Amino acid sequence: MKIKKVLILGSGAIRIGQAGEFDYSGSQAIKALKEEKIKTVLVNPNIATIQTSDYLADKVYFIPIDAYFVEKIIAKERPDGILLGFGGQTALNVGVELAEKGVLKKYKVEVLGTPIDAILSTEDRDIFVKKIKELDLKVPYSKAVKSVDEAIKVAEKIGYPVMCRIAYALGGLGSGVAYNKTELVELTKKAFSYTKQILIEEYCGGWKELEYEVVRDKYDNCIVVCSMENVDPMGIHTGESIVVAPVQTLSSSENFKLRSISIKVIRHLGIVGECNIQFALDPESEDYRIIEVNARLSRSSALASKATGYPLAFIATKLTIGYSLPDIENSITKETTACFEPALDYIVVKHPRWDLQKFRKVSQLIGSEMKSVGEVMAIGRTFEEAMQKAIRMLDVGMNGLVCN
């Protein structure tokens, strides 16, 4: 079937936990579709974005990204396909809801790229753990619970401290570490006000946190575009952490081990397009845990694109409409194809920026919930150079870690 019209779900309002990275991916997606002469319909109520500019999408609906409204737009526009991976967590959740309600089937709308069951197997923790176990790989021991009492039982079985996480959430919303029963009760009560399913899992505090950006096409070609390492250990949200690309403190055997696991997992889950996989690695041994897979473009994919010069969102869009990686030429070199992995001879540092002056009572400590409101990226030949540049660009009146 030739695709003539595609509906793209944006990410809606910018809030703490999600920011401009989805505007970047959505704009790239529209450009890639326009190049293929495909009509684009965008749903995004946020007027302060690039992707809603008049020169990009053919039609823009400034309407809330919500299953009820999106169904009305599908009924009116009758698109051939829908893109869910370019609007962050909001778009994924709405897409899953539309599929479960049978709306997509009713209007014969094809989900382009990663199929719904693959999205579900990354979002629903129980299915995710089962999928990883099929490959005989390691995930943190965890159990999804639906009540506070159940959470206490599971925590006692795992042993404190435990990590408490919410399924289908953004920016580590409502998550935290409980060191005893009292803290757990407090955390879970707060968490159940957002969601019906919480995850209680073993806590890998102090382990290294690493991410790999992986791209796969429907013909099973799969490459790792970028590796990233958090300066802060596990237990600190990625959005709160200084991130360095490429990884700095892994031995080659550790790096290749995690790289090959990434490819294995993404192939097994059947993701088409771009995704990122997060690992915890024990600094004392080569023991690892697979923390999660995001079947969408995320904060780290925007960073990886800019750090490597590999236009992830643009290429992911081409893959969703059926291209293979060797078909797409590298838009920078014009000689190689998208199937070549970028190699970096420089270091990229991402540094978060907080703005807590407005919130008097907020704790100044960083943890598993994201509080930063933005980030800067710096490039240098050495870690020190990139770090100094990043701190200077934060605009907080510092020249860097030193020279103040």
Side-chain angles (χ1 to χ4, degrees):
M1 162 183 140
K2 182 85 180 79
I3 292 165
K4 295 191 183 78
K5 193 191 238 183
V6 171
L7 179 68
I8 302 168
L9 298 186
S11 65
I14 288 179
R15 52 180 188 267
I16 294 182
Q18 75 174 29
E21 66 269 13
F22 304 122
D23 185 20
Y24 167 74
S25 52
S27 312
Q28 293 270 335
I30 296 168
K31 282 179 187 166
L33 292 170
K34 280 188 92 138
E35 209 175 79
E36 298 299 321
K37 311 261 186 295
I38 292 172
K39 280 194 101 153
T40 51
V41 179
L42 171 71
V43 187
N44 192 353
N46 188 350
I47 51 172
T49 53
I50 306 284
Q51 57 181 264
T52 50
S53 308
D54 53 2
Y55 64 90
L56 278 169
D58 295 305
K59 206 160 190 188
V60 181
Y61 284 89
F62 292 105
I63 284 177
I65 295 157
D66 172 286
Y68 170 80
F69 291 112
V70 176
E71 181 178 352
K72 296 262 186 280
I73 293 167
I74 290 174
K76 184 184 169 197
E77 291 288 341
R78 295 300 171 101
D80 303 315
I82 186 167
L83 283 178
L84 307 175
F86 297 86
Q89 198 64 46
T90 319
L92 272 193
N93 292 353
V94 168
V96 167
E97 195 181 326
L98 289 170
E100 284 174 347
K101 283 183 173 166
V103 173
L104 301 180
K105 205 169 172 187
K106 179 179 165 190
Y107 294 105
K108 297 187 177 57
V109 182
E110 189 189 338
V111 175
L112 302 176
T114 305
I116 288 286
D117 52 348
I119 292 174
L120 280 174
S121 53
T122 61
E123 291 293 324
D124 187 302
R125 294 301 299 193
D126 282 347
I127 309 176
F128 178 67
V129 170
K130 211 157 66 213
K131 286 273 187 196
I132 301 294
K133 290 270 163 69
E134 285 168 15
L135 290 171
D136 232 1
L137 297 170
K138 295 178 177 177
V139 282
Y141 178 78
S142 66
K143 200 161 170 14
V145 297
K146 293 198 162 66
S147 73
V148 177
D149 296 338
E150 207 182 334
I152 294 167
K153 276 186 197 136
V154 173
E156 274 160 8
K157 189 178 164 193
I158 296 173
Y160 291 100
V162 292
M163 182 76 187
C164 160
R165 283 148 66 89
I166 295 185
Y168 298 98
L170 228 195
L173 183 77
S175 66
V177 181
Y179 290 93
N180 53 45
K181 190 174 161 180
T182 331
E183 285 181 14
L184 182 72
V185 171
E186 202 177 304
L187 258 177
T188 45
K189 273 188 179 155
K190 191 173 104 182
F192 278 124
S193 64
Y194 300 120
T195 183
K196 50 186 190 297
Q197 187 194 43
I198 298 183
L199 212 75
I200 304 294
E201 65 182 26
E202 72 171 297
Y203 177 54
C204 306
W207 287 27
K208 292 179 184 182
E209 189 173 347
L210 304 139
E211 295 190 50
Y212 288 77
E213 292 294 322
V214 187
V215 171
R216 176 181 175 270
D217 64 19
K218 66 177 189 184
Y219 307 101
D220 215 20
N221 298 311
C222 197
I223 65 165
V224 174
V225 173
C226 186
S227 62
M228 286 170 276
E229 178 172 2
N230 289 10
V231 172
D232 299 274
M234 285 295 296
I236 306 290
H237 192 281
T238 320
E240 294 284 272
S241 180
I242 297 168
V243 178
V244 187
V247 292
Q248 293 300 305
T249 67
L250 297 195
S251 64
S252 5
S253 74
E254 288 171 329
N255 189 16
F256 279 108
K257 178 180 181 176
L258 297 183
R259 190 182 164 279
S260 53
I261 290 172
S262 307
I263 290 177
K264 214 172 176 178
V265 169
I266 303 313
R267 283 185 163 152
H268 185 63
L269 291 171
I271 287 168
V272 175
E274 198 273 347
C275 66
N276 82 319
I277 177 166
Q278 296 173 10
F279 292 99
L281 183 76
D282 182 6
E284 304 303 320
S285 66
E286 283 200 2
D287 197 13
Y288 70 91
R289 299 283 185 277
I290 297 169
I291 304 295
E292 66 172 349
V293 172
N294 281 320
R296 56 180 170 89
L297 284 110
S298 58
R299 191 176 313 104
S300 359
S301 8
L303 173 68
S305 300
K306 292 183 164 69
T308 57
Y310 187 101
L312 280 167
F314 187 84
I315 284 165
T317 310
K318 296 270 182 167
L319 300 180
T320 60
I321 52 179
Y323 279 90
S324 74
L325 280 167
D327 286 343
I328 306 168
E329 74 162 5
N330 181 320
S331 49
I332 295 171
T333 62
K334 301 275 184 213
E335 285 181 10
T336 53
T337 67
C339 218
F340 278 68
E341 294 188 2
L344 306 189
D345 59 350
Y346 49 85
I347 281 181
V348 175
V349 165
K350 179 217 90 173
H351 198 301
R353 186 182 197 285
W354 293 273
D355 196 2
L356 297 175
Q357 289 85 1
K358 297 182 183 76
F359 307 108
R360 286 274 171 263
K361 297 212 171 99
V362 169
S363 147
Q364 301 270 335
L365 297 171
I366 55 175
S368 64
E369 232 179 330
M370 184 170 158
K371 302 188 191 104
S372 70
V373 289
E375 53 207 19
V376 296
M377 179 184 118
I379 297 179
R381 285 285 173 207
T382 60
F383 174 66
E384 293 81 357
E385 181 193 339
M387 193 67 186
Q388 287 290 92
K389 281 181 177 173
I391 293 172
R392 201 164 61 229
M393 288 193 298
L394 284 173
D395 209 19
V396 288
M398 303 269 283
N399 290 328
L401 284 175
V402 293
C403 306
N404 292 310

